[in-house]
């Protein structure tokens, strides 16, 4: 009887052995499951960054060596704009002749890309189509102003032209000066002078011209008029001898 009791006690687990570990489930849940997909994400991101950098470098190299070709296409796009501008006919013809000569010169396979870049840096600063718009405002002043007001208006426009000639003012400056008398088509982005300029609008142009001339340090007097073709020739020569800005 005692032997059977001993065997029964041995067969039955003790309380410690029978009770499950209350922390067992938590311990299993807290086990490290490894890095998961994070390293793959990081590696993929780095790889994409490397590819983007390579593509950027290749694209930059291609564009760097295609500067002459890009300049030619840009100049070709300028010609129709100049043809439709308000430049005086003789001045317009000379400007277009210079553009066509430059296009032919840059189209040569051995034309230095650096020279093309220098030329374009200077040409894009010139208010070529806007030169005729300044003439239109000048004509309005000559017809509608008198005495000192007329002289002041003509003087301020002359100072603006001098600032452009001296490379002190750019196309952006001239566009700002002419803004009161210009209409912009929001659909196409094209600009044109208002068909009926008013005295108030032209007065605003004169004030803006004066402020621009003062900022550029241009002497307050009238200067001999210079054609755009003369300024264009000057800038092309400077680009070839001195480089861009």
């Amino acid at each position: 009887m005692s032997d059977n009791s001993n065997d029964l006690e041995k067969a039955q687990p003790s309380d410690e052995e029978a009770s499950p570990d209350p922390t067992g489930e938590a311990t299993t849940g807290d086990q490290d499951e490894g890095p998961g997909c994070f390293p793959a994400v990081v590696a993929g991101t780095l790889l994409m960054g490397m590819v983007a950098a390579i593509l950027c470098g290749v694209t930059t190299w291609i564009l760097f060596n295609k500067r002459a070709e890009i300049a030619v296409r840009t100049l070709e796009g300028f010609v129709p704009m100049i043809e439709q501008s308000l430049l005086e006919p003789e001045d317009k013809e000379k400007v277009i002749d210079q553009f066509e000569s430059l296009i032919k010169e840059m189209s040569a396979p051995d034309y230095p890309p650096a020279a093309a870049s220098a030329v374009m840096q200077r040409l894009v600063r010139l208010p070529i189509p806007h030169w005729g718009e300044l003439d239109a405002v000048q004509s309005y002043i000559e017809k509608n102003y008198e005495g000192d007001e007329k002289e002041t208006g003509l003087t301020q426009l002359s100072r603006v032209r001098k600032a452009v000639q001296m490379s002190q003012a750019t196309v952006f400056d001239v566009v700002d000066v002419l803004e009161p008398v210009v209409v912009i088509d929001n659909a196409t982005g094209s600009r044109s002078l208002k068909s009926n300029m008013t005295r108030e609008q032209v007065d605003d142009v004169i004030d803006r011209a004066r402020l621009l001339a003062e900022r550029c340090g241009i002497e307050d007097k009238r200067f001999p008029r210079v054609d755009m073709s003369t300024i264009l020739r000057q800038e092309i020569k400077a680009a070839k001898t001195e480089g861009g800005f």
Side-chain angles (χ1 to χ4, degrees):
M1 179 71 178
S2 60
D3 292 338
N4 292 335
S5 297
N6 292 333
D7 294 339
L8 182 60
E9 290 177 358
K10 291 179 180 179
Q12 293 179 346
S14 64
D15 292 341
E16 292 183 0
E17 294 176 347
S19 60
D21 185 358
T23 62
E25 184 177 354
T27 302
T28 302
D30 292 342
Q31 288 181 351
D32 187 2
E33 296 182 357
C37 62
F38 181 72
V41 173
V42 173
T45 302
L46 293 176
L47 181 60
M48 291 176 63
M50 293 173 61
V51 171
I54 293 172
L55 289 176
C56 181
V58 172
T59 303
T60 301
W61 180 82
I62 293 174
L63 293 176
F64 186 82
N65 288 278
K66 291 287 186 180
R67 283 176 291 177
E69 181 178 339
I70 295 172
V72 167
R73 294 182 180 180
T74 303
L75 293 175
E76 290 174 342
F78 276 167
V79 173
M81 187 186 306
I82 297 171
E83 291 175 340
Q84 299 174 13
S85 71
L86 298 177
L87 282 172
E88 293 182 355
E90 184 177 354
D91 193 20
K92 180 186 296 186
E93 182 179 357
K94 291 180 180 179
V95 168
I96 293 176
D97 286 344
Q98 290 185 67
F99 266 68
E100 292 177 345
S101 176
L102 197 57
I103 289 171
K104 183 177 180 180
E105 183 179 344
M106 286 186 175
S107 297
D110 58 344
Y111 193 86
S117 178
V119 170
M120 293 309 300
Q121 284 181 21
R122 290 180 176 272
L123 294 194
V124 296
R125 290 166 51 93
L126 293 179
I128 299 176
H130 313 92
W131 212 242
E133 295 175 357
L134 288 173
D135 287 337
V137 175
Q138 178 173 326
S139 296
Y140 181 94
I141 294 173
E142 290 173 342
K143 294 177 181 178
N144 297 279
Y145 285 62
E146 295 181 354
D148 292 341
E149 291 182 334
K150 180 178 179 179
E151 181 63 25
T152 298
L154 297 178
T155 297
Q156 302 315 316
L157 293 185
S158 176
R159 296 174 73 195
V160 168
R161 290 195 180 94
K162 186 65 174 179
V164 173
Q165 181 184 2
M166 296 176 62
S167 298
Q168 296 296 318
T170 69
V171 58
F172 302 106
D173 298 314
V174 177
V175 166
D176 180 70
V177 167
L178 292 168
E179 192 271 336
V181 295
V182 169
V183 176
I184 298 178
D185 187 339
N186 294 327
T188 62
S190 60
R191 51 178 282 129
S192 60
L193 282 180
K194 293 178 179 178
S195 56
N196 295 312
M197 289 183 282
T198 66
R199 179 69 176 259
E200 182 180 0
Q201 292 167 349
V202 175
D203 285 343
D204 194 2
V205 171
I206 294 172
D207 287 339
R208 291 173 181 234
R210 176 181 55 80
L211 292 173
L212 173 60
E214 289 177 354
R215 191 177 78 235
C216 295
I218 305 301
E219 190 176 354
D220 190 7
K221 70 175 187 179
R222 291 181 68 177
F223 298 89
R225 190 187 187 286
V226 179
D227 290 337
M228 176 49 66
S229 57
T230 300
I231 298 177
L232 177 61
R233 187 179 302 108
Q234 163 190 305
E235 290 300 315
I236 293 175
K237 181 179 179 180
K240 293 179 179 179
T241 57
E242 304 172 15
F245 291 99

